[in-house]
Amino acid sequence: MKVRQTFLSGIILGIIGIVLFSSKAVLIKLAYQYNIDALSMLQLRMLFSFPFYIVIAYLYRNEEKEDIQRQDYLWLIFFGFVGYYLASYFDFIGLTYIKASLERIILFIYPTIVLLFNKWFLKKVITNKQKLAIIITYVGIIITFASEVSVSGSETYLGGLFVFLSAVTYAAYLMGSGWLIPKFGVMRFTAYAMIVCSICVFVHFSIFSEVDIFSFPWQVYALGLCIAIFATVIPSFLVSISIKLISSSNFAIVAGIGPISTIILAVIFLNESLTTIQIIGTVVVILGILLVSKKKRKKKRQD
């Protein structure tokens, strides 16, 4: 009974975390209506979230599970740069060109990229069923994307490219950071990686931006605060706790609600809409990812 309650709690926390994460794209699109650029929006996000991660890093400073070497810190800096800074920056730029719902659908393909990275760099075998799942996923992306291009124009290609790069960099982070998390502990690793991301954003903004960060309407700062707390800090730890309670493979199934929740939020708050063809493409993408996750879960059970 206790195991069942723990599993149910993990699912509920995972769903809340995914829905909050999904709200990020919608909140960013709302902020873009006030003519703020992607880098400034990212700067505000990290300015508001940075203090939280400093406090969390301090509270969990003794969480390490294994001996940590100097190179482990170097790898942590690298993955914080790639998996959080680059992934976030590419995502924020992409959202200046495409709809929030399409952004979430493209980002959702990262499990297939992890499989491909494992094949290319770690020489792990991709089964025929996993290959089929990857093909199904990308067919869904093509269906959804092609339909959007016909509606929104050629800028959709550029936005889609940046969001795809975000998915690639995040997948690289997931593939490479797994062996570091047991050393640092989930909370400590997440806090450290986000601190690295924040510093990268602060340096990037100070060097390349000429925008006065205090020149925007109050609504922009309110949205930035919401993005930092409700779409960054809180869900990042809810997801970590959920994965700990139900395992990453089960969480991958729960994550399937991500595109759906983004679409619903985008319809409510941004008046976005999807064509029938795009809805079909979205369903195909979700089915492909769930198939990938299902095969990964079966393989883990066999191991």
Side-chain angles (χ1 to χ4, degrees):
M1 187 68 179
K2 185 176 180 180
V3 173
R4 185 177 179 181
Q5 290 178 342
T6 299
F7 188 81
L8 181 60
S9 298
I11 291 177
I12 293 173
L13 291 176
I15 291 174
I16 296 173
I18 289 298
V19 172
L20 290 176
F21 263 138
S22 300
S23 70
K24 180 194 69 176
V26 175
L27 292 170
I28 291 171
K29 294 294 285 187
L30 287 172
Y32 283 168
Q33 295 176 1
Y34 295 94
N35 297 319
I36 184 173
D37 62 285
L39 181 56
S40 297
M41 194 68 242
L42 185 57
Q43 171 82 343
L44 285 178
R45 178 200 189 192
M46 302 321 299
L47 279 173
F48 285 124
S49 61
F50 185 69
F52 291 95
Y53 287 113
I54 290 291
V55 172
I56 293 167
Y58 176 77
L59 294 176
Y60 288 87
R61 62 191 182 279
N62 297 319
E63 192 189 24
E64 62 189 69
K65 308 298 182 180
E66 303 175 16
D67 291 336
I68 299 176
Q69 307 297 322
R70 176 184 295 180
Q71 62 266 28
D72 294 328
Y73 285 101
L74 296 177
W75 279 113
L76 187 149
I77 292 172
F78 173 77
F79 288 120
F81 174 81
V82 172
Y84 282 116
Y85 163 63
L86 286 183
S88 296
Y89 182 57
F90 290 146
D91 186 36
F92 275 56
I93 294 178
L95 278 167
T96 63
Y97 299 103
I98 63 175
K99 297 191 298 189
S101 50
L102 182 58
E103 176 259 7
R104 184 54 49 179
I105 295 168
I106 298 174
L107 277 183
F108 194 55
I109 67 173
Y110 71 84
T112 68
I113 302 174
V114 171
L115 279 180
L116 294 173
F117 279 167
N118 286 334
K119 167 66 175 177
W120 295 334
F121 299 109
L122 302 180
K123 307 302 179 183
K124 292 186 178 181
V125 176
I126 298 179
T127 67
N128 290 332
K129 290 182 178 180
Q130 286 176 330
K131 291 177 182 177
L132 176 61
I134 292 173
I135 292 172
I136 290 173
T137 300
Y138 285 91
V139 167
I141 289 292
I142 292 172
I143 292 172
T144 308
F145 195 76
S147 178
E148 182 61 27
V149 170
S150 65
V151 174
S152 302
S154 59
E155 281 193 345
T156 306
Y157 287 116
L158 184 58
L161 174 62
F162 276 112
V163 176
F164 178 75
L165 289 174
S166 177
V168 170
T169 49
Y170 185 64
Y173 159 78
L174 290 178
M175 184 194 73
S177 63
W179 58 277
L180 284 175
I181 292 176
K183 291 188 174 186
F184 287 90
V186 173
M187 302 294 280
R188 189 180 179 204
F189 178 84
T190 302
Y192 281 12
M194 290 302 294
I195 289 171
V196 170
C197 170
S198 299
I199 293 173
C200 291
V201 172
F202 299 157
V203 172
H204 186 170
F205 184 85
S206 64
I207 294 175
F208 294 100
S209 180
E210 297 180 356
V211 175
D212 181 1
I213 200 65
F214 302 105
S215 63
F216 298 106
W218 69 266
Q219 292 91 336
V220 171
Y221 302 104
L223 288 167
L225 183 61
C226 288
I227 292 170
I229 297 176
F230 298 108
T232 303
V233 176
I234 293 177
S236 68
F237 291 108
L238 286 178
V239 166
S240 296
I241 296 171
S242 175
I243 290 174
K244 182 178 180 180
L245 293 177
I246 66 175
S247 82
S248 58
S249 56
N250 286 320
F251 177 78
I253 303 298
V254 175
I257 69 169
I260 299 172
S261 61
T262 299
I263 291 170
I264 293 173
L265 292 172
V267 169
I268 295 173
F269 295 103
L270 300 175
N271 295 319
E272 289 186 2
S273 61
L274 294 178
T275 64
T276 302
I277 294 178
Q278 289 175 324
I279 293 174
I280 293 173
T282 302
V283 172
V284 172
V285 171
I286 294 173
L287 289 176
I289 296 299
L290 292 181
L291 185 57
V292 168
S293 302
K294 182 179 180 181
K295 296 307 172 186
K296 288 170 68 178
R297 187 171 70 255
K298 284 185 176 180
K299 184 177 179 181
K300 286 185 177 181
R301 286 178 179 174
Q302 291 171 357
D303 294 341

